[in-house]
Amino acid sequence: MPLFDLPLEQLRDYTSAAVPPADLDAFWDRTISEARAFPLDAVFEPVDNYLTVINTFDVTFSGFGGDRIKGWLHIPANCEPGQKLPVVVEFIGYSGGRGLANQNTRWAQAGYAHFIMDTRGQGYGGVSGDTPDPHPSAGEVNFAGLMTRGSGHQEEYYFRRVYVDAFRAVEAAQSHAAVDPSKVVLTGVSQGGGITVATAGLTAGRLDGVIAALPDVPFLQDFPRAIDIAPRGPYLEIAGFLGRHRDKYEPMLAVLNYFDGVHLGRAATVPALFSAAQMDDICPPSTVFASYNSYGTGPSAKVSAPDKDIEVYRFNNHEGGQEHHWIKQLQFLRKLLSS
C-alpha cells in the first residue's frame, strides 16, 4: 500500500473539521447515569486455562441497559494474597471477541492484572465472542456489519452501548480484590483503540482510577474524513449504506458526532501513547492524528494538559507496530508507574 494520506509533516498539524454537538457532555452524563442505575454485579468465576503461570476468571458484569457482558480477568499466579496489581483493561478490534481463556494473557505475563472486555454482538471474525447485543435497534435496516446499526438516532446507535459497556468494564475490573483500583490502564488496537480513546474521555471527571491510555491505530476517529478517504474496512459500511440512502448523509454525521473519538478524547486527562501507520488504509493516519492532536485539549488542559506521544510506523498498514509497539507500551507503563 502506498503512502496515500497526508505527508507526515502535515499529519502532525492536522485537526478535524468536525464540531462537537452542543449537548455532548449532557448526552454522556445522562447516558452514564442511566447505566449506573443498574447494579454492576460483577461476577468472577475461576476457570481452568491450562496455564501454570496465569490464573483466569470468567467475568460477567452489567453494561448498557443492564445487559450482561462477558470478559476475562487474568492474574499472574505468583500474585500474593492481599496484593493489588495495576490492571490493563483491553478492548478488542472490530468483529473480534474475548477469545478463549488462554488466548491472550500477555499483560498478565508482564505482571499486570489483565481484563479483556467482550464486545457485544461481535466475536464472529478472527476471535470468538460470547456476548449478544439484544437491543431492538439491532434489527433495523442497516448495512452488513455494525457501523450503521441504530444510526438513525444517537440514543439507538450501536456504539453508545459499546462505550457504556467499556465504562462499566473499568468499574468491574476495579472491583476485583487483586486489582489496585487507582491504577487502571486502557488499551486496544483498531476498534479497541477507538474504545480506549472514548473511555479515557468518558471516565474523566466521572470515574477515578484511570492513569493512562494506549490507543493503537485507533478506529472511530474523525468520521467525516474517514468516510471520505478510507479505501478499505468498516468505514466503507457507512459509505455503502449512504450510497443507497442518499438523503441520510447529514443526519448520520450528526449522530456519529456523538461517538467520534476526536471529541470524546478531548476531555481526557491521563497520559497517552498513540500509534499510527502511514500506509494504514483501514484507519487512515490523518484520522488517527486528528484524534491524537485533539486528545487532552479540553477545558482541563488549561490547568494541566496530559502528556502524550505518538509512534509512527511509516511502512506498515493496519497491523501497525505489533510486537515492536508492545515493547514501547511496556516501557511507557514502566516509566509511568515508577515515577
Side-chain angles (χ1 to χ4, degrees), residues 50-111:
Y50 308 103
L51 304 175
T52 59
V53 296
I54 305 291
N55 294 326
T56 296
F57 298 86
D58 186 353
V59 186
T60 310
F61 65 95
S62 295
F64 180 90
D67 299 334
R68 300 298 282 169
I69 310 301
K70 300 296 291 184
W72 298 121
L73 177 65
H74 303 300
I75 304 288
N78 63 358
C79 181
E80 299 291 337
Q83 183 181 2
K84 291 185 178 293
L85 300 173
V87 61
V88 177
V89 178
E90 182 173 3
F91 307 110
I92 306 303
Y94 191 74
S95 82
R98 66 174 181 164
L100 304 180
N102 58 9
Q103 195 163 357
N104 175 12
T105 63
R106 65 178 188 168
W107 286 106
Q109 294 174 51

Side-chain angles (χ1 to χ4, degrees), residues 21 183 226 251 279 316 332:
K183 295 179 180 178
M279 295 184 177
N316 287 98
F332 182 89

Side-chain angles (χ1 to χ4, degrees), residues 18-19 21 140-159 222-224 226-228 234-260 263:
V19 177
E140 292 178 358
V141 173
N142 59 276
F143 196 85
L146 299 158
M147 297 304 298
T148 63
R149 181 173 291 181
S151 60
H153 197 280
Q154 58 268 22
E155 299 284 338
E156 308 298 324
Y157 189 49
Y158 170 75
F159 281 99
D222 196 6
F223 279 108
I227 295 167
D228 281 353
Y235 288 122
L236 293 183
E237 295 176 19
I238 301 173
F241 182 84
L242 294 173
R244 176 54 56 190
H245 297 272
R246 299 169 179 87
D247 59 337
K248 296 188 182 297
Y249 177 62
E250 294 297 339
M252 183 173 287
L253 282 186
V255 170
L256 295 175
N257 218 16
Y258 286 88
F259 307 93
D260 198 324
H263 305 323

Side-chain angles (χ1 to χ4, degrees), residues 300-330:
S300 62
K302 296 178 181 178
V303 178
S304 178
D307 292 334
K308 61 183 180 181
D309 199 1
I310 185 166
E311 292 288 334
V312 181
Y313 297 95
R314 178 181 177 88
F315 296 105
N316 287 98
N317 200 305
H318 193 52
E319 75 279 0
Q322 297 176 298
E323 66 277 8
H324 296 274
H325 190 64
W326 190 48
I327 293 173
K328 298 286 187 181
Q329 293 176 325
L330 289 168

Side-chain angles (χ1 to χ4, degrees), residues 68-242:
R68 300 298 282 169
I69 310 301
K70 300 296 291 184
W72 298 121
L73 177 65
H74 303 300
I75 304 288
N78 63 358
C79 181
E80 299 291 337
Q83 183 181 2
K84 291 185 178 293
L85 300 173
V87 61
V88 177
V89 178
E90 182 173 3
F91 307 110
I92 306 303
Y94 191 74
S95 82
R98 66 174 181 164
L100 304 180
N102 58 9
Q103 195 163 357
N104 175 12
T105 63
R106 65 178 188 168
W107 286 106
Q109 294 174 51
Y112 300 94
H114 182 191
F115 188 104
I116 302 173
M117 185 189 85
D118 204 23
T119 312
R120 65 167 63 220
Q122 299 191 33
Y124 55 84
V127 184
S128 61
D130 298 297
T131 304
D133 180 19
H135 196 271
S137 72
E140 292 178 358
V141 173
N142 59 276
F143 196 85
L146 299 158
M147 297 304 298
T148 63
R149 181 173 291 181
S151 60
H153 197 280
Q154 58 268 22
E155 299 284 338
E156 308 298 324
Y157 189 49
Y158 170 75
F159 281 99
R160 182 180 185 229
R161 304 192 287 281
V162 172
Y163 287 177
V164 168
D165 294 345
F167 186 102
R168 304 230 77 190
V170 174
E171 293 182 305
Q174 290 175 313
S175 73
H176 192 272
V179 166
D180 184 342
S182 68
K183 295 179 180 178
V184 179
V185 177
L186 311 173
T187 194
V189 180
S190 191
Q191 176 187 255
I195 298 171
T196 294
V197 173
T199 307
L202 291 174
T203 53
R206 298 185 180 97
L207 178 63
D208 294 333
V210 176
I211 62 169
L214 309 175
D216 192 0
V217 291
F219 182 47
L220 307 169
Q221 316 298 305
D222 196 6
F223 279 108
R225 181 168 176 84
I227 295 167
D228 281 353
I229 73 167
R232 184 169 67 102
Y235 288 122
L236 293 183
E237 295 176 19
I238 301 173
F241 182 84
L242 294 173

